[in-house]
Amino acid sequence: NEKKIVIKDDYRLKYLWEKKIAKKLKSRMIVFDDFDNSNHFADLIINPKTKFIEHDKSIVNSVEGKKTTFLLGPKYSLVEKIKKNPKFKKFTVIVNFGGSKKTNYIKNILHSISKSNENIDFIFILSPIFKLKLKVKRKKNIKFINDSFDLQNIYSKSHLFLGAAGTSVYEVSAQKIPGIFFKISDNQETSYESLEKMGQYFFLNKKYLQKKYSSEIFRLIKGIKNNYKNIKFFTNNPIINIDDKGVSRIAKNILKIK
């Protein structure tokens, strides 16, 4: 017998949609969700949030009268194949705020670094959903990349990440790169303790992306650069390693669904 499976990864579609589609198609429902207080009509729920970092086995519960398997924690994060590349010669910071439409985050960082003469290169990963209108003078140490689909390749060559605390937390940690992460949306809530176990020690509220704090963020970047050997030691030797096997672990659990 053929098995119908629907995979949902969209916050706009809620419990009623899942139930209606699953019953109409007589299918199994797979849900990706990084909120932990949502109701679902699902056979399998994947939530890679760092708060579940201690979970190393799947959990089966009855949800709304339905047997549901939970795959929790970073071991189920969707990290692409880890790349091993030589580092850029100059200290390089990758700036990536994912699909955020708030270009002020990037503009405020640009405002700070455009006035500096530090020996640091910055590569900004720009989302295809917006166009950045720059009012700062272009500098040789600032580069922009649009629509990149091979972030692991770029991350592997860099020294430091700065950006949103979304999936980049797992991608950067897998590459053993220190990061400065910002919570810019509710689903990016995490704990300092879990980040420390992954070798990450810089997690800030989005208020520090305001223009008035831009010089302080740049001082933090310089401080990390000046103490890079010590910081990198902890990133290279985390308590919990993030790997690129999450996709295969999820696939194996999907195939088990009856």
Side-chain angles (χ1 to χ4, degrees):
N1 291 337
E2 282 192 355
K3 193 165 46 177
K4 290 183 181 178
I5 293 177
V6 175
I7 299 177
K8 192 210 82 171
D9 186 9
D10 191 325
Y11 300 130
R12 297 169 298 177
L13 305 177
K14 308 295 184 182
Y15 170 85
L16 290 177
W17 182 92
E18 296 167 1
K19 186 173 183 179
K20 183 177 180 180
I21 294 298
K23 288 187 175 297
K24 184 175 182 178
L25 299 180
K26 296 181 180 179
S27 65
R28 300 303 185 189
M29 182 66 63
I30 314 298
V31 174
F32 286 85
D33 188 6
D34 44 16
F35 287 102
D36 54 355
N37 56 355
S38 304
N39 292 325
H40 291 290
F41 187 85
D43 298 273
L44 184 66
I45 296 175
I46 301 107
N47 187 337
K49 287 290 285 292
T50 56
K51 68 179 291 182
F52 301 118
I53 203 165
E54 301 294 349
H55 290 270
D56 55 7
K57 292 184 180 179
S58 60
I59 299 171
V60 179
N61 285 330
S62 177
V63 180
E64 301 290 335
K66 186 178 182 67
K67 184 180 178 182
T68 301
T69 300
F70 292 81
L71 305 181
L72 305 175
K75 70 181 293 184
Y76 299 106
S77 57
L78 305 180
V79 175
E80 294 180 18
K81 186 173 178 57
I82 296 172
K83 303 288 181 65
K84 297 296 182 184
N85 290 313
K87 296 290 184 184
F88 292 116
K89 291 183 179 180
K90 281 179 66 177
F91 190 88
T92 301
V93 181
I94 302 296
V95 182
N96 184 5
F97 285 94
S100 174
K101 296 180 181 179
K102 297 189 177 181
T103 59
N104 281 344
Y105 298 151
I106 291 178
K107 289 180 179 178
N108 291 341
I109 294 169
L110 279 169
H111 177 266
S112 173
I113 64 178
S114 64
K115 295 182 178 180
S116 72
N117 293 312
E118 283 291 320
N119 190 30
I120 300 175
D121 282 347
F122 289 83
I123 298 177
F124 288 79
I125 309 296
L126 300 183
S127 166
I129 66 174
F130 68 77
K131 292 183 179 180
L132 189 66
K133 294 180 179 179
L134 300 175
K135 293 183 179 179
V136 297
K137 185 179 179 181
R138 294 272 184 163
K139 299 186 69 174
K140 290 183 179 179
N141 70 325
I142 300 175
K143 180 181 179 182
F144 299 93
I145 296 178
N146 292 87
D147 306 342
S148 175
F149 294 98
D150 191 5
L151 293 179
Q152 288 295 70
N153 188 50
I154 300 171
Y155 290 158
S156 67
K157 299 175 183 178
S158 68
H159 299 84
L160 178 65
F161 173 88
L162 185 149
T167 56
S168 293
V169 170
Y170 315 118
E171 294 168 338
V172 169
S173 298
Q175 290 288 169
K176 300 291 189 291
I177 303 166
I180 302 173
F181 301 101
F182 296 88
K183 178 195 170 187
I184 61 172
S185 61
D186 292 339
N187 66 320
Q188 292 176 357
E189 183 64 59
T190 188
S191 70
Y192 292 103
E193 183 181 3
S194 59
L195 284 174
E196 287 178 4
K197 289 180 179 179
M198 293 161 60
Q200 302 293 348
Y201 293 86
F202 304 99
F203 180 54
L204 305 175
N205 190 282
K206 65 181 179 182
K207 76 174 185 178
Y208 291 104
L209 288 167
Q210 296 176 32
K211 194 172 183 178
K212 63 181 179 180
Y213 295 112
S214 60
S215 60
E216 293 182 29
I217 295 300
F218 190 62
R219 281 199 295 271
L220 175 58
I221 292 171
K222 290 194 293 183
I224 293 173
K225 177 179 180 287
N226 293 336
N227 295 279
Y228 194 71
K229 185 178 180 180
N230 293 330
I231 293 170
K232 193 69 165 64
F233 172 82
F234 293 104
T235 311
N236 285 341
N237 299 281
I239 295 174
I240 295 180
N241 281 289
I242 306 301
D243 59 28
D244 53 11
K245 304 295 189 297
V247 173
S248 62
R249 293 186 185 107
I250 293 170
K252 288 177 182 178
N253 279 275
I254 291 176
L255 293 174
K256 290 177 183 178
I257 296 176
K258 297 180 179 179

